Amino acid sequence: MNDTLNDVAHPPIATKDEWLAQRLQLLDEEKAVTKAYDRVNALRRRLPMVKVDKAYTFMGPDGEKSLLDLFDGRRQLIVHHFMFDPAWDKGCGSCTWHHNQFGGSLPKTDTSMVTVSRAPIEKLVAYQRQKGWSNLWYSSYGTDFNYDFMVTLDPSRGSVSYNYKTGEELTKAIGPQESSSEWPGFSVFFRVGDEVFHTYSAYARGVENLMDTFSLLDITPYGRQEDFEDSPAGWPQSPTYG
């Protein structure tokens, strides 16, 4: 390459001491963001939960499952709402990219994770094979699940809501909704015996960082389950660096 500084957009050039002074200023800001993030996570772990009374059913490659079944015996469940309309032949491109970033250490923290889309299971299995994925993927086709958790918006079913916005506020955020549309999101559930509770959902830009194991655990009631966290008394925890 024969580029020169005049040819390429680049950061300003400084001496090492000038760079270090500004880097230390930025480090203070980064630490403040980390502390704020920890504080928000602590508040999230103190959110109440709402009992799920509706009997949702899902279709998987091995047959029909209930929401309770999706926990696979674990305490917590994360649902990735993957945008895949029944009329589509392939999944959403951004959801596909997002899925490719996931880690696989959640079961060690008593947490299951599944992918749920509205497309029929046959389309989901075909797309999964095409991508070489091994995730647990279920279809909510023909159920209220996507509508109830605000990831399918269909004005023909009544008023719509996304990211906790409705009416003019929603229209300002995402434009007018004149036909059925799919939207990204994550939802978290908690199990006590055979009772299932909804604890959290995130949408829009709130899902951008939910890719690695730590970020996913941060949206669950128990968090990372490490002793550096400010969690309610009785929450399971182990040494952060143990």
Side-chain angles (χ1 to χ4, degrees):
M1 298 177 65
N2 297 317
D3 293 334
T4 69
L5 289 173
N6 292 328
D7 299 325
V8 180
H10 60 81
I13 298 173
T15 66
K16 186 174 181 179
D17 287 343
E18 290 170 338
W19 176 89
L20 181 59
Q22 292 192 44
R23 178 65 187 95
L24 291 175
Q25 289 179 353
L26 179 60
L27 182 59
D28 288 338
E29 297 292 335
E30 290 172 339
K31 288 181 177 179
V33 169
T34 299
K35 291 178 180 178
Y37 183 71
D38 288 344
R39 184 169 61 252
V40 169
N41 287 338
L43 292 172
R44 187 184 294 114
R45 289 191 292 275
R46 287 165 172 80
L47 276 177
M49 58 186 186
V50 178
K51 186 177 180 181
V52 178
D53 290 317
K54 188 175 289 189
Y56 297 107
T57 57
F58 307 86
M59 186 59 67
D62 54 348
E64 191 173 277
K65 302 283 187 180
S66 67
L67 183 57
L68 179 63
D69 292 331
L70 302 190
F71 282 79
D72 196 25
R74 298 186 178 94
R75 181 69 65 195
Q76 302 182 130
L77 172 68
I78 300 173
V79 172
H80 176 208
H81 299 288
F82 190 110
M83 296 164 59
F84 203 142
D85 185 277
W88 301 349
D89 292 321
K90 60 181 181 178
C92 159
S94 63
C95 292
T96 297
W97 182 89
H98 201 143
H99 179 86
N100 283 330
Q101 315 308 312
F102 291 146
S105 302
L106 293 172
K108 297 178 182 178
T109 56
D110 207 14
T111 304
S112 292
M113 181 171 173
V114 300
T115 308
V116 173
S117 301
R118 205 161 57 90
I121 188 60
E122 294 79 11
K123 288 190 174 184
L124 303 184
V125 169
Y127 193 66
Q128 184 182 44
R129 288 174 178 166
Q130 177 186 335
K131 296 298 178 181
W133 294 339
S134 59
N135 59 309
L136 298 172
W137 204 346
Y138 297 94
S139 170
S140 61
Y141 183 72
T143 76
D144 294 335
F145 186 75
N146 274 45
Y147 304 101
D148 290 349
F149 289 94
M150 296 190 290
V151 289
T152 297
L153 309 187
D154 188 348
S156 71
R157 295 172 59 99
S159 61
V160 295
S161 175
Y162 182 66
N163 202 18
Y164 310 102
K165 293 180 174 65
T166 58
E168 293 183 3
E169 187 182 18
L170 178 63
T171 300
K172 184 178 179 180
I174 64 174
Q177 298 301 297
E178 299 175 351
S179 59
S180 180
S181 58
E182 305 294 302
W183 295 85
F186 281 76
S187 292
V188 181
F189 301 89
F190 192 83
R191 180 183 66 84
V192 179
D194 289 341
E195 294 185 311
V196 174
F197 301 85
H198 175 227
T199 65
Y200 184 77
S201 286
Y203 307 97
R205 293 200 64 191
V207 309
E208 287 181 352
N209 293 324
L210 300 180
M211 300 181 194
D212 63 277
T213 298
F214 281 161
S215 296
L216 290 166
L217 287 174
D218 284 341
I219 64 172
T220 67
Y222 283 167
R224 302 184 193 182
Q225 302 170 40
E226 297 181 354
D227 59 7
F228 84 90
E229 294 176 301
D230 174 9
S231 293
W235 259 225
Q237 290 189 329
S238 58
T240 302
Y241 300 107

